[in-house]
Amino acid sequence: MAQDVYTHGHHESVLRSHRWRTAENSAAYLLADLTPGAAVLDVGCGPGTITHDFAERVAPGHVTGVDNAAEIVEQASAGAPANTAFQVADVYALPFADGSFDVVHAHQVLQHLTDPVAALREMRRVCRPGGIVAARDADYAAMTWYPQLPALTGWLDLYHRVARGNDAEPDAGRRLLGWAREAGFGEVDATASAWCFATAEERTWWGGLWADRVRNSAFATQAVERGLATGAELERLSAGWREWIDADAAWFAVLNGEIRCHR
């Protein structure tokens, strides 16, 4: 198995988007499963904002968050509710007994893995019979926006090339159901939902984080080191995002695929 490489890395512009995520805006399809007393595992928890929300919903139950980056686990632990625990872990070898959790969840994780099916199998192992394994991932090819600026078209093309250079699948949303079937799940609820950024405040936030990310994040470093883009080209992409922010009619939608897999 190839070594997983996180395309985005943990630059501030990346964490800025992660900290925005809540159970409501990123896991609405799962909220009915987060019942009081449940034991939940949040795989690839990042800075923990979704994890913290889960903990409030399942109290007096318990939520465990895992991530493979120690510095991010430390951030997630800061100010966390009492009914949470965080630790560094590998999604392919989770350090938990079979059937340990009622709900096992991963948000925007499978798209970055070299073997998402193996990850789903491991998530299935630690989920109790009758429980739920859930995942939600964006589908980059299904993202759409206005106005159709050439720089944003170039950004999307470059993102695909960088991510696939990591043996990852940026168009994961449409593949979740198939991956779940391969992982051995018979009953799967497959849905989709979207993030939409259209107000001036939303445009400034979403466009600003990408304008920064295409210049400064691990994505930018990988693009240059692999000869996929020059520094000057990344500057042009960043300027394109700034141009999009300034367009009064600017609009951007991110389609996310979702699966609730019955164990």
Side-chain angles (χ1 to χ4, degrees):
M1 182 184 299
Q3 180 66 41
D4 289 334
V5 176
Y6 184 34
T7 300
H8 297 293
H10 295 106
H11 184 264
E12 183 278 331
S13 60
V14 177
L15 297 180
R16 196 187 316 161
S17 66
H18 292 180
R19 294 190 191 102
W20 166 82
R21 297 171 183 171
T22 66
E24 289 74 18
N25 69 30
S26 299
Y29 74 107
L30 187 62
L31 296 184
D33 299 299
L34 301 173
T35 55
V40 179
L41 177 64
D42 192 14
V43 176
C45 65
T49 51
I50 296 175
T51 323
H52 295 183
D53 282 355
F54 283 0
E56 293 180 4
R57 287 177 174 271
V58 304
H62 192 270
V63 180
T64 302
V66 297
D67 202 282
N68 66 355
E71 68 275 18
I72 298 304
V73 168
E74 183 177 352
Q75 289 185 33
S77 300
N83 61 328
T84 59
F86 293 90
Q87 65 185 89
V88 176
D90 180 354
V91 67
Y92 301 118
L94 295 168
F96 309 108
D98 295 359
S100 294
F101 301 94
D102 300 298
V103 177
V104 182
H105 165 266
H107 185 264
Q108 310 296 346
V109 173
L110 298 182
Q111 65 183 282
H112 298 294
L113 304 182
T114 57
D115 195 342
V117 174
L120 282 168
R121 289 191 184 117
E122 181 66 354
M123 292 166 67
R124 185 177 189 270
R125 180 187 68 79
V126 301
C127 185
R128 68 163 177 81
I132 294 290
V133 172
R136 183 175 190 258
D137 273 273
D139 193 302
Y140 274 75
M143 293 183 186
T144 189
W145 59 85
Y146 182 84
Q148 294 294 326
L149 301 174
L152 268 63
T153 302
W155 157 77
L156 184 60
D157 174 69
L158 179 61
Y159 185 86
H160 275 99
R161 288 185 288 140
V162 171
R164 293 205 166 115
N166 290 331
D167 197 21
E169 180 46 73
D171 302 340
R174 69 189 67 189
R175 291 173 167 81
L176 293 180
L177 177 58
W179 289 342
R181 298 289 191 219
E182 288 185 59
F185 291 101
E187 184 180 354
V188 182
D189 303 320
T191 55
S193 61
W195 290 322
C196 183
F197 307 103
T199 68
E201 182 180 6
E202 290 166 348
R203 295 198 314 265
T204 298
W205 179 79
W206 178 249
L209 67 86
W210 272 110
D212 292 344
R213 197 180 297 188
V214 298
R215 296 171 59 249
N216 299 311
S217 69
F219 162 72
T221 301
Q222 293 162 31
V224 172
E225 289 182 347
R226 296 174 192 169
L228 300 175
T230 65
E233 288 167 341
L234 295 182
E235 291 291 346
R236 285 196 291 273
L237 296 184
S238 179
W241 275 105
R242 299 290 180 192
E243 182 181 356
W244 177 82
I245 291 171
D246 291 338
D248 286 341
W251 179 93
F252 199 108
V254 177
L255 182 68
N256 293 278
E258 302 158 345
I259 48 172
R260 289 175 64 258
C261 309
H262 297 259
R263 174 73 167 91

